Amino acid sequence: MSKRSYDGVAKVFDYFAVGDMRRWGPSQRTLFKNLKGRILYIGIGTGQEIVNFPSGLNITAADLSFEMLKRSHKRVANYKGTINRCQMDAETTAFADNTFDTVVTVCVLCTVKQPMNCLQEIKRVLKPGGELVMFEHVLSKNPVYALPLKMMSYITEYLQGTYLDRNTVANVEKAGFKIHSHKNVYLDIVKALVARAD
Amino acid sequence: MNLKIADFFIGAFSGALVAGVVSYISPPFMPMLVGGLIGMVLILPLKIALMPFFGAFEVMIPLAIIGMTVGMGAGMLSTLDVNNIVIASGALTGLLVATIIHFSNKRYTAE
């Protein structure tokens, strides 16, 4: 999705994600409770997940859209820790190699145009042994659930720039990460994953 | 309202709605196929209306299944003059789909 259209989505982003945040809050808190070191949070959006981060972290947050970053201001200001925001494309960040101990993504690999490029970029900025912590939705392996996802993907791609038919787990492994923790949050569609670079 | 309880209400309500509309339209030809198509189309705006409040996937998956199956069933039954029974069976089917997905989710998340 282009920067301009992602800016447009920012206006309705919070409205469409209220239900998801109510459903996913506890799972995200569990996933994020062990975050440590210097953290890169890719795709901060309007900052809805910030409330689920433990306090006292040192976070660098990036997003493609300036409108999204603008709307995250209040949540960033309320966080009891450090969050520095910057406008960047997840596929081509400006960070040096081996900069971060942890990279966090929430519904990013379903939105970026080239997920493999994004994963390679994450691998580049992660320190050796660093962790990639992901809260992502993927295509179900169950055909009964996969069919509606494939059909709805055309609509969500148009409305929100989100693809519902991506095989993120396989992509992560293909990019050279090893999955250390894999938990289904809703069916086999919404997943909480922790991976490390091999 | 507890979101898990809401899932069952949404299932029953959307099933009854699809059955009621398909039964009211009463497709004049290929009722099963046309009923299924009407169900799938009808469920789209319902999904978009409910997703912000109840979660995207938790609404999208059951409603997609309910739209097609209840639409097809109601299309077949629409030739009979039993509107209330069609609506009730639509609600029951919706509830059944929501229940199956609830237990399927339990199995997946326990893995």
Side-chain angles (χ1 to χ4, degrees):
Chain A
M1 192 177 209
S2 73
K3 197 188 290 182
R4 212 170 125 194
S5 44
Y6 202 45
D7 278 343
V9 170
K11 290 170 197 150
V12 291
F13 194 79
D14 276 350
Y15 171 72
F16 274 103
V18 171
D20 289 336
M21 291 319 295
R22 285 171 66 196
R23 297 263 189 186
W24 299 346
S27 302
Q28 286 189 355
R29 279 191 287 278
T30 306
L31 178 67
F32 297 151
K33 73 179 177 197
N34 294 324
L35 293 180
K36 57 183 183 292
R38 197 169 168 199
I39 297 159
L40 172 63
Y41 174 20
I42 296 179
I44 180 176
T46 58
Q48 286 179 319
E49 293 88 16
I50 290 173
V51 289
N52 298 324
F53 285 134
S55 56
L57 297 175
N58 175 16
I59 300 170
T60 302
D63 202 282
L64 178 67
S65 159
F66 182 71
E67 281 301 316
M68 289 278 191
L69 288 168
K70 223 163 72 178
R71 283 173 160 79
S72 70
H73 179 76
K74 204 173 162 188
R75 290 179 176 125
V76 168
N78 287 338
Y79 177 68
K80 290 181 179 69
T82 312
I83 299 181
N84 295 308
R85 289 170 296 165
C86 48
Q87 187 181 6
M88 266 181 212
D89 187 339
E91 293 173 34
T92 51
T93 67
F95 302 112
D97 293 2
N98 309 327
T99 305
F100 297 97
D101 299 290
T102 309
V103 174
V104 178
T105 70
V106 179
C107 297
V108 167
L109 298 168
C110 55
T111 307
V112 290
K113 265 197 178 142
Q114 301 291 337
M116 286 308 290
N117 291 355
C118 181
L119 285 163
Q120 294 294 352
E121 185 65 8
I122 290 170
K123 202 176 172 195
R124 185 184 69 77
V125 300
L126 257 182
K127 286 177 185 171
E131 273 188 346
L132 169 57
V133 176
M134 296 163 280
F135 195 91
E136 299 281 344
H137 58 80
V138 303
L139 181 66
S140 173
K141 284 185 179 154
N142 184 331
V144 178
Y145 304 140
L147 183 67
L149 289 173
K150 280 182 181 168
M151 285 163 70
M152 277 300 283
S153 191
Y154 295 104
I155 297 165
T156 55
E157 188 192 333
Y158 176 75
L159 288 177
Q160 271 191 311
T162 301
Y163 298 81
L164 306 180
D165 55 355
R166 286 201 170 151
N167 193 348
T168 298
V169 177
N171 285 343
V172 167
E173 285 170 338
K174 220 185 289 173
F177 288 93
K178 198 170 177 195
I179 306 276
H180 276 254
S181 164
H182 179 160
K183 188 162 180 10
N184 290 322
V185 175
Y186 180 67
L187 298 173
D188 61 339
I189 299 168
V190 182
K191 290 177 184 285
L193 303 157
V194 179
R196 285 194 199 116
D198 277 343
Chain B
M1 194 200 299
N2 183 317
L3 289 170
K4 284 201 163 59
I5 297 170
D7 290 343
F8 295 105
F9 277 106
I10 290 168
F13 168 74
S14 53
L17 184 75
V18 170
V21 172
V22 172
S23 174
Y24 177 76
I25 293 171
S26 191
F29 61 97
M30 291 192 290
M32 189 174 151
L33 189 71
V34 177
L37 283 174
I38 293 170
M40 284 164 76
V41 172
L42 182 70
I43 224 77
L44 253 171
L46 193 63
K47 273 186 208 172
I48 293 169
L50 294 175
M51 271 158 60
F53 307 104
F54 299 102
F57 296 99
E58 291 83 353
V59 166
M60 187 191 302
I61 299 296
L63 260 62
I65 298 167
I66 289 166
M68 194 173 68
T69 52
V70 173
M72 287 166 79
M76 281 196 300
L77 293 173
S78 66
T79 49
L80 310 169
D81 194 19
V82 285
N83 271 6
N84 290 339
I85 295 172
V86 174
I87 292 170
S89 57
L92 265 177
T93 309
L95 192 64
L96 183 69
V97 170
T99 307
I100 291 168
I101 290 176
H102 173 78
F103 285 107
S104 174
N105 184 44
K106 271 195 160 182
R107 192 175 63 84
Y108 276 115
T109 51
E111 276 173 8

Coordinates of all heavy atoms in Angstrom, one line a residue, chain A residues 15-16 18-20 22-24 137 142 144-145 148-149 151-152 155 159 164 183-190, chain B residues 1 3-4 7 40 44 47-48 51-58 60-62 64-65 101 104-105 108-109 111:
Chain A
Y15 N -11.0 3.2 14.7 CA -12.4 2.7 14.7 C -12.5 1.2 14.3 O -13.2 0.4 15.0 CB -13.3 3.6 13.7 CG -14.7 3.0 13.5 CD1 -15.6 3.1 14.5 CD2 -15.0 2.4 12.3 CE1 -16.9 2.6 14.3 CE2 -16.3 1.9 12.1 CZ -17.2 2.0 13.1 OH -18.5 1.5 12.9
F16 N -11.8 0.9 13.2 CA -11.9 -0.5 12.8 C -11.1 -1.5 13.7 O -11.4 -2.7 13.6 CB -11.3 -0.6 11.3 CG -12.4 -0.3 10.3 CD1 -12.4 0.9 9.6 CD2 -13.4 -1.3 10.0 CE1 -13.4 1.2 8.7 CE2 -14.4 -1.0 9.1 CZ -14.4 0.2 8.4
V18 N -11.0 -1.4 17.2 CA -11.4 -1.4 18.6 C -11.7 -2.9 19.0 O -11.2 -3.3 20.1 CB -12.7 -0.6 18.7 CG1 -13.3 -0.8 20.1 CG2 -12.4 0.9 18.5
G19 N -12.5 -3.6 18.2 CA -12.8 -5.0 18.6 C -11.6 -5.9 18.7 O -11.5 -6.7 19.6
D20 N -10.7 -5.7 17.7 CA -9.4 -6.5 17.7 C -8.6 -6.3 19.0 O -8.1 -7.2 19.6 CB -8.6 -6.2 16.5 CG -9.2 -6.7 15.2 OD1 -10.0 -7.6 15.3 OD2 -8.9 -6.1 14.1
R22 N -9.7 -5.3 21.9 CA -10.4 -5.9 23.0 C -10.1 -7.4 23.0 O -9.9 -8.0 24.1 CB -11.9 -5.7 22.9 CG -12.3 -4.2 23.3 CD -13.7 -4.0 23.0 NE -14.7 -4.7 23.8 CZ -16.0 -4.8 23.5 NH1 -16.4 -4.3 22.4 NH2 -16.7 -5.5 24.3
R23 N -10.1 -8.0 21.9 CA -9.9 -9.5 21.8 C -8.4 -9.8 22.1 O -8.1 -10.8 22.7 CB -10.2 -10.0 20.4 CG -11.6 -9.8 20.0 CD -12.4 -11.1 20.2 NE -13.7 -11.0 19.6 CZ -14.7 -11.9 19.7 NH1 -14.5 -13.0 20.4 NH2 -15.9 -11.7 19.1
W24 N -7.5 -9.0 21.5 CA -6.1 -9.5 21.5 C -5.3 -8.9 22.6 O -4.1 -9.3 22.8 CB -5.5 -9.0 20.1 CG -6.1 -9.6 18.9 CD1 -7.0 -10.7 18.9 CD2 -6.0 -9.2 17.6 NE1 -7.3 -11.0 17.6 CE2 -6.7 -10.1 16.8 CE3 -5.2 -8.3 16.9 CZ2 -6.8 -10.0 15.4 CZ3 -5.3 -8.2 15.5 CH2 -6.1 -9.0 14.8
H137 N -1.5 -12.0 11.6 CA -2.5 -12.9 11.1 C -2.0 -13.5 9.8 O -1.3 -12.8 9.0 CB -3.9 -12.3 11.0 CG -3.9 -11.1 10.1 ND1 -4.0 -11.2 8.7 CD2 -3.9 -9.8 10.4 CE1 -4.1 -10.0 8.2 NE2 -4.0 -9.1 9.2
N142 N -6.7 -24.6 7.3 CA -8.0 -25.3 7.1 C -8.7 -24.6 6.0 O -9.0 -23.5 6.0 CB -8.7 -25.1 8.4 CG -10.1 -25.8 8.4 OD1 -10.6 -26.1 7.4 ND2 -10.5 -26.2 9.6
V144 N -11.7 -24.6 5.0 CA -13.0 -24.0 5.4 C -12.8 -22.5 5.9 O -13.6 -21.7 5.6 CB -13.7 -24.8 6.5 CG1 -15.1 -24.2 6.9 CG2 -14.0 -26.2 6.0
Y145 N -11.7 -22.3 6.6 CA -11.4 -21.0 7.0 C -10.6 -20.2 6.0 O -10.6 -18.9 5.9 CB -10.6 -21.0 8.3 CG -11.3 -21.8 9.4 CD1 -10.6 -22.6 10.3 CD2 -12.7 -21.6 9.6 CE1 -11.2 -23.3 11.3 CE2 -13.3 -22.3 10.7 CZ -12.6 -23.2 11.5 OH -13.2 -23.9 12.5
P148 N -12.9 -18.1 3.0 CA -13.4 -16.7 3.3 C -12.2 -15.7 3.4 O -12.4 -14.6 3.0 CB -14.1 -16.9 4.6 CG -14.0 -18.2 5.1 CD -13.4 -19.1 4.0
L149 N -11.1 -16.2 3.9 CA -9.9 -15.2 4.0 C -9.5 -14.8 2.7 O -9.2 -13.6 2.4 CB -8.8 -15.9 4.8 CG -9.0 -16.1 6.3 CD1 -7.8 -16.9 6.9 CD2 -9.1 -14.8 7.0
M151 N -11.2 -14.7 -0.1 CA -12.2 -13.9 -0.7 C -12.2 -12.5 -0.1 O -12.3 -11.5 -0.8 CB -13.6 -14.5 -0.5 CG -13.8 -15.7 -1.5 SD -15.2 -16.7 -1.0 CE -16.6 -15.7 -1.3
M152 N -12.1 -12.4 1.2 CA -12.1 -11.1 1.9 C -10.8 -10.3 1.7 O -10.8 -9.1 1.8 CB -12.3 -11.3 3.4 CG -13.8 -11.5 3.8 SD -14.8 -10.1 3.4 CE -14.4 -8.9 4.7
I155 N -11.1 -7.4 -0.5 CA -11.8 -6.2 0.0 C -10.9 -5.5 1.0 O -10.7 -4.3 1.0 CB -13.1 -6.6 0.7 CG1 -14.0 -7.2 -0.4 CG2 -13.8 -5.4 1.4 CD1 -15.2 -7.9 0.2
L159 N -9.6 -1.7 1.1 CA -10.0 -0.8 2.2 C -8.9 -0.4 3.2 O -8.8 0.7 3.6 CB -11.2 -1.4 3.0 CG -12.5 -1.5 2.4 CD1 -13.5 -2.3 3.3 CD2 -13.1 -0.2 2.1
L164 N -4.9 -10.9 3.6 CA -5.3 -12.0 4.6 C -4.8 -13.3 4.2 O -5.1 -14.3 4.8 CB -6.9 -12.0 4.7 CG -7.6 -10.7 5.1 CD1 -9.1 -10.9 5.1 CD2 -7.1 -10.1 6.4
K183 N 2.3 -19.5 19.0 CA 1.0 -19.7 19.7 C -0.1 -19.2 18.9 O -0.1 -18.1 18.4 CB 1.1 -19.0 21.1 CG -0.1 -19.3 21.9 CD 0.1 -19.0 23.4 CE -1.1 -19.3 24.3 NZ -2.1 -20.1 23.7
N184 N -1.1 -20.0 18.7 CA -2.3 -19.6 18.0 C -3.2 -18.7 19.0 O -3.4 -19.1 20.1 CB -3.2 -20.8 17.6 CG -2.5 -21.5 16.4 OD1 -1.9 -20.9 15.6 ND2 -2.6 -22.8 16.4
V185 N -3.6 -17.6 18.5 CA -4.4 -16.7 19.3 C -5.9 -16.8 18.9 O -6.8 -16.8 19.8 CB -4.0 -15.2 19.2 CG1 -4.9 -14.3 19.9 CG2 -2.6 -15.1 19.7
Y186 N -6.2 -16.9 17.6 CA -7.5 -17.2 17.2 C -7.4 -18.2 16.0 O -6.8 -17.9 15.0 CB -8.3 -15.9 16.7 CG -9.7 -16.2 16.2 CD1 -10.6 -16.7 17.1 CD2 -10.0 -16.1 14.9 CE1 -11.9 -17.0 16.7 CE2 -11.3 -16.4 14.4 CZ -12.2 -16.8 15.3 OH -13.5 -17.2 14.9
L187 N -8.1 -19.3 16.2 CA -8.0 -20.5 15.2 C -6.5 -20.6 14.9 O -5.6 -20.5 15.7 CB -8.8 -20.2 14.0 CG -10.3 -20.1 14.3 CD1 -11.1 -19.6 13.1 CD2 -10.9 -21.4 14.8
D188 N -6.1 -20.9 13.6 CA -4.7 -20.9 13.2 C -4.5 -19.7 12.3 O -3.6 -19.7 11.5 CB -4.3 -22.2 12.5 CG -5.1 -22.4 11.2 OD1 -6.2 -21.8 11.0 OD2 -4.6 -23.2 10.3
I189 N -5.2 -18.6 12.6 CA -5.1 -17.4 11.8 C -4.3 -16.3 12.5 O -3.4 -15.8 11.9 CB -6.6 -16.9 11.4 CG1 -7.3 -18.0 10.6 CG2 -6.5 -15.6 10.7 CD1 -8.8 -17.7 10.5
V190 N -4.7 -16.0 13.7 CA -4.0 -14.9 14.4 C -2.9 -15.6 15.3 O -3.3 -16.5 16.1 CB -4.9 -14.1 15.3 CG1 -4.2 -13.0 16.0 CG2 -6.1 -13.5 14.5
Chain B
M1 N -20.7 -6.5 26.8 CA -21.1 -7.9 26.8 C -19.8 -8.7 26.6 O -18.9 -8.3 25.8 CB -22.0 -8.1 25.7 CG -22.8 -9.5 25.7 SD -23.5 -10.0 24.2 CE -24.6 -8.7 23.8
L3 N -17.4 -11.0 25.0 CA -17.2 -11.2 23.5 C -17.5 -12.6 23.1 O -18.0 -12.9 22.0 CB -15.8 -10.7 23.1 CG -15.6 -9.2 23.1 CD1 -14.1 -8.9 22.9 CD2 -16.4 -8.5 22.0
K4 N -17.2 -13.6 24.0 CA -17.4 -15.0 23.6 C -18.9 -15.3 23.5 O -19.3 -16.0 22.7 CB -16.7 -15.9 24.7 CG -15.2 -15.9 24.4 CD -14.6 -17.1 25.1 CE -13.2 -17.4 24.5 NZ -12.2 -16.5 24.7
D7 N -20.4 -13.8 20.3 CA -20.1 -14.6 19.1 C -21.4 -15.5 18.8 O -21.8 -15.7 17.6 CB -18.9 -15.5 19.3 CG -17.6 -14.8 19.3 OD1 -17.6 -13.6 18.8 OD2 -16.6 -15.3 19.8
M40 N -24.2 -14.7 0.7 CA -22.9 -14.2 0.7 C -22.8 -12.7 0.5 O -22.0 -12.0 1.1 CB -22.1 -14.9 -0.4 CG -21.7 -16.3 -0.1 SD -21.2 -17.3 -1.5 CE -19.6 -16.7 -1.8
L44 N -21.8 -9.4 3.6 CA -20.7 -8.5 3.5 C -20.9 -7.2 4.2 O -20.0 -6.9 5.1 CB -20.5 -8.2 2.0 CG -19.2 -8.8 1.4 CD1 -19.2 -8.6 -0.1 CD2 -18.0 -8.2 2.0
K47 N -20.8 -7.9 7.9 CA -19.4 -8.1 8.4 C -18.7 -6.7 8.7 O -18.1 -6.5 9.8 CB -18.5 -8.8 7.4 CG -18.6 -10.3 7.3 CD -17.6 -10.7 6.3 CE -18.0 -12.1 5.7 NZ -17.1 -12.5 4.6
I48 N -18.8 -5.8 7.7 CA -18.1 -4.5 7.9 C -18.7 -3.7 9.0 O -18.0 -3.0 9.7 CB -18.2 -3.8 6.5 CG1 -17.4 -4.5 5.5 CG2 -17.7 -2.3 6.7 CD1 -17.5 -4.0 4.1
M51 N -17.5 -5.9 12.4 CA -16.1 -6.1 12.7 C -15.4 -5.1 13.6 O -14.7 -5.5 14.5 CB -15.3 -6.1 11.4 CG -15.3 -7.5 10.8 SD -15.0 -7.6 9.0 CE -13.4 -6.8 8.8
P52 N -15.7 -3.8 13.5 CA -15.1 -2.9 14.5 C -15.4 -3.1 15.9 O -14.6 -2.8 16.8 CB -15.6 -1.5 14.0 CG -16.1 -1.7 12.6 CD -16.6 -3.1 12.5
F53 N -16.6 -3.7 16.2 CA -17.0 -3.9 17.6 C -16.6 -5.2 18.2 O -16.4 -5.4 19.4 CB -18.5 -3.7 17.8 CG -18.9 -2.3 17.2 CD1 -19.6 -2.3 16.0 CD2 -18.6 -1.2 17.9 CE1 -19.9 -1.1 15.4 CE2 -19.0 0.1 17.3 CZ -19.7 0.1 16.1
F54 N -16.6 -6.2 17.3 CA -16.4 -7.6 17.8 C -15.2 -8.3 17.3 O -15.0 -9.5 17.6 CB -17.7 -8.4 17.4 CG -18.9 -7.9 18.1 CD1 -19.8 -7.2 17.3 CD2 -19.2 -8.1 19.4 CE1 -21.0 -6.6 17.9 CE2 -20.3 -7.5 20.0 CZ -21.2 -6.8 19.2
G55 N -14.3 -7.6 16.5 CA -13.1 -8.2 16.1 C -13.2 -8.7 14.6 O -14.2 -9.3 14.3
A56 N -12.2 -8.4 13.8 CA -12.3 -8.7 12.4 C -12.5 -10.2 12.1 O -13.4 -10.6 11.5 CB -11.0 -8.2 11.7
F57 N -11.5 -11.0 12.6 CA -11.6 -12.5 12.2 C -12.7 -13.2 12.9 O -13.3 -14.1 12.4 CB -10.2 -13.1 12.5 CG -9.1 -12.5 11.7 CD1 -8.3 -11.5 12.2 CD2 -9.0 -12.9 10.3 CE1 -7.3 -11.0 11.4 CE2 -8.0 -12.3 9.5 CZ -7.2 -11.3 10.1
E58 N -13.0 -12.8 14.1 CA -14.0 -13.5 14.9 C -15.4 -13.2 14.3 O -16.4 -14.0 14.6 CB -14.0 -12.9 16.4 CG -12.8 -13.4 17.1 CD -11.5 -12.5 16.9 OE1 -11.6 -11.6 16.0 OE2 -10.5 -12.7 17.6
M60 N -15.6 -12.3 10.7 CA -15.4 -12.6 9.3 C -15.6 -14.1 9.0 O -16.4 -14.5 8.1 CB -14.0 -12.2 8.8 CG -13.8 -12.3 7.4 SD -12.0 -12.1 7.1 CE -11.7 -10.5 7.8
I61 N -15.0 -15.0 9.8 CA -15.0 -16.4 9.5 C -16.4 -17.0 9.7 O -16.9 -17.6 8.8 CB -13.9 -17.1 10.4 CG1 -12.5 -16.6 10.1 CG2 -14.0 -18.6 10.2 CD1 -12.0 -16.8 8.7
P62 N -17.0 -16.8 10.9 CA -18.3 -17.5 11.0 C -19.4 -16.9 10.0 O -20.2 -17.6 9.5 CB -18.7 -17.2 12.5 CG -17.8 -16.2 13.0 CD -16.6 -16.3 12.1
A64 N -19.0 -15.7 7.1 CA -18.8 -16.1 5.7 C -19.4 -17.5 5.5 O -20.0 -17.8 4.5 CB -17.3 -16.2 5.4
I65 N -19.2 -18.4 6.5 CA -19.7 -19.7 6.5 C -21.3 -19.7 6.6 O -22.0 -20.3 5.8 CB -19.1 -20.6 7.6 CG1 -17.6 -20.7 7.4 CG2 -19.8 -22.0 7.6 CD1 -16.9 -21.3 8.5
I101 N -17.1 -23.3 15.6 CA -15.9 -22.5 15.5 C -15.4 -22.3 16.9 O -14.2 -22.3 17.1 CB -16.2 -21.2 14.8 CG1 -16.5 -21.5 13.3 CG2 -15.1 -20.2 14.9 CD1 -16.9 -20.3 12.5
S104 N -13.5 -25.4 17.7 CA -12.4 -25.5 16.8 C -11.3 -24.5 17.3 O -10.1 -24.9 17.4 CB -12.8 -25.1 15.4 OG -11.7 -25.0 14.6
N105 N -11.7 -23.3 17.7 CA -10.7 -22.3 18.3 C -10.1 -22.8 19.5 O -8.9 -22.6 19.7 CB -11.5 -21.0 18.5 CG -10.5 -19.9 19.0 OD1 -9.4 -19.8 18.4 ND2 -10.9 -19.2 20.0
Y108 N -7.4 -25.3 18.5 CA -6.2 -24.6 17.9 C -5.4 -23.9 19.0 O -4.2 -23.9 19.0 CB -6.7 -23.6 16.8 CG -6.9 -24.2 15.5 CD1 -8.1 -24.2 14.9 CD2 -5.8 -24.7 14.8 CE1 -8.4 -24.8 13.7 CE2 -6.0 -25.3 13.5 CZ -7.3 -25.3 13.0 OH -7.5 -25.8 11.7
T109 N -6.1 -23.1 19.9 CA -5.3 -22.3 20.8 C -4.7 -23.2 21.9 O -3.8 -22.7 22.6 CB -6.2 -21.2 21.4 OG1 -7.4 -21.8 21.9 CG2 -6.6 -20.2 20.4
E111 N -3.1 -25.9 21.3 CA -1.9 -26.6 20.7 C -0.6 -26.0 21.2 O -0.5 -24.8 21.3 CB -2.0 -26.5 19.2 CG -2.8 -27.5 18.5 CD -3.0 -27.3 17.0 OE1 -2.3 -26.5 16.4 OE2 -3.8 -28.0 16.5

